Amino acid sequence: MSPLKDHRIPRDQGEPLVYPLDEPPQFGEVQEVTEGILWLRMPLIFDLNHINLYLLRDGDGWAILDTGLNTSMVRGMWEKVLDETLAGAPISRVIVTHYHPDHLGLAGWLCERTGAPLVMTGMEMMLARFLMATGRDAVPDHVLSFYREAGFDDDQLDFVRNMGYGNYSRMVSALPENYLRFRAGDKLTIGTREFDIRVGSGHSPEHACLYSYVDGILIAGDQMLPRITSNISVYPAEDRANPLKDWLDSLVAMKQLPVDTLVLPAHNEPFLGLHKRSDEMIDGHIRRLKSVHEMTKKGCAATDAFPALFKRKLKGFDLIMGLGESVAHLHYLEDIGLVERERAGDVSIFHASGKFDEMDVRLRIWSE
Ligand SMILES: [Zn+2]
């Protein structure tokens, strides 16, 4: 497939999403998006079977954006990309959007192999370092208390125990001792392009996106995905957090970018329709908040709210991810005064304490 010559077709913000590069590259192979930007796809070992990485022309070499999971298969594919696809050209830097293992997994290995520095935001780096250091065999009590409080039964708690603790370091190669920090508002010149660093939160604390005003291109990581939704979870390490508020704020902020921005996401395919997709995701969360609020009318634990959020019965790791999302929606409702928490033994039961007025919730999202 030939690269895009010009994606800047005038668009209306309500138009359906368009995928101008419909065929994704094979695993370990690249496809040119536009001059100086290559789309590289690597396999994942989850239900979601791929991640998109990007290579950005940087002088006589390339900058790498996101890295893939630390598995021998992905390392093998990277060897081929570095030696054959890029013909041994120098790697100028390894830029990572956020700390999740599919993005940061091979950053340390790539920096070691190529001599390139790692570039990240501070919070993502510190969180990665913290998680790398918290490997131990037994699951700590506060983790079990978190899941018990959310309504897990004995079998589900056994699953948490058997999952172990500190799995992060198994999926992420050793991080370099030092790194280059960027933050919201910084400018990053990569080759002939200047990118603004835009930061979102909610999926991870300080998630970086790279935006080129001249090209109208946003490299979005997990902040903006066209076909699936990013996981927005409360975790035991910060058990009273309200990440959904941060996420909704970030989605609203996305609409400051022009309607015709080409989004290069970390999953699915590059697309046009940033405003439409932001609206869809905000509407989706409002719908879910409303359904969860409905469940709280008869009092519910976080696990009782699953039917309001998921069509299928959750098992295994999906149960952990789903629980995090359920707690996130309940915490949002609690924060805006629509539910109250009551302790029943070890479990938190949420009760509706106000009427869900959709317009009021919408105004709150847009005005903050
Ligand atoms: Zn992620």
Side-chain angles (χ1 to χ4, degrees), residues 98 100 102-103 203 222:
H98 66 297
H100 289 162
D102 46 339
H103 299 258
H203 173 66
D222 286 348

Side-chain angles (χ1 to χ4, degrees), residues 51-54 64-68 78 94-98 102-104 110 207 221-222 266:
I51 179 166
N52 301 322
L53 317 174
Y54 297 95
I64 292 172
L65 188 127
D66 283 339
T67 69
W78 263 119
V94 176
I95 303 163
V96 174
T97 55
H98 66 297
D102 46 339
H103 299 258
L104 182 62
L110 279 165
H207 183 302
D222 286 348

Side-chain angles (χ1 to χ4, degrees), residues 7 32-33 55 66 78 139 147 151 171 176 178 187 220 237 243 269 278 283 296 301:
H7 63 272
E32 190 174 16
V33 174
L55 301 168
D66 283 339
W78 263 119
V139 176
Y147 289 107
M171 295 184 282
N178 57 358
K187 307 243 183 257
E269 303 84 39
S278 299
D283 289 350
T296 61

Side-chain angles (χ1 to χ4, degrees), residues 326-337:
S326 179
V327 177
H329 283 80
L330 285 162
H331 283 190
Y332 188 90
L333 291 169
E334 188 181 28
D335 193 51
I336 62 173

Side-chain angles (χ1 to χ4, degrees), residues 158-313:
D158 275 344
F159 176 80
V160 174
R161 281 190 197 93
N162 293 334
M163 206 169 57
Y165 191 66
N167 295 317
Y168 185 79
S169 59
R170 284 192 263 280
M171 295 184 282
V172 177
S173 60
L175 292 168
E177 295 288 320
N178 57 358
Y179 79 113
L180 296 171
R181 176 155 73 107
F182 58 17
R183 64 190 100 190
D186 282 357
K187 307 243 183 257
L188 199 63
T189 303
I190 304 175
T192 56
R193 289 190 171 88
E194 186 179 71
F195 288 95
D196 291 337
I197 304 306
R198 300 181 68 91
V199 162
S201 188
H203 173 66
S204 71
E206 197 184 357
H207 183 302
C209 301
L210 273 65
Y211 174 63
S212 161
Y213 175 78
V214 173
D215 291 281
I217 287 178
L218 177 76
I219 305 178
D222 286 348
Q223 280 297 130
M224 182 52 63
L225 304 174
R227 300 186 202 267
I228 56 172
T229 53
S230 295
N231 181 264
I232 310 301
S233 270
V234 175
Y235 297 103
E238 197 189 341
D239 63 340
R240 291 295 187 264
N242 183 6
L244 185 53
K245 180 182 184 319
D246 296 334
W247 180 249
L248 291 168
D249 288 348
S250 303
L251 288 178
V252 169
M254 277 286 179
K255 294 192 71 176
Q256 293 164 354
L257 297 179
V259 171
D260 60 359
T261 302
L262 175 67
V263 182
L264 307 184
H267 307 287
N268 310 138
E269 303 84 39
F271 71 100
L272 293 160
L274 173 70
H275 286 227
K276 169 91 172 157
R277 186 60 183 146
S278 299
D279 287 341
E280 277 175 10
M281 288 201 276
I282 292 168
D283 289 350
H285 284 295
I286 292 173
R287 264 198 314 276
R288 275 172 265 168
L289 284 166
K290 190 174 181 192
S291 316
V292 170
H293 183 261
E294 197 59 38
M295 306 291 283
T296 61
K297 286 182 178 166
K298 44 186 195 307
C300 80
T303 47
D304 300 327
F306 282 161
L309 295 167
F310 310 104
K311 289 191 196 87
R312 62 206 151 83
K313 192 165 158 47

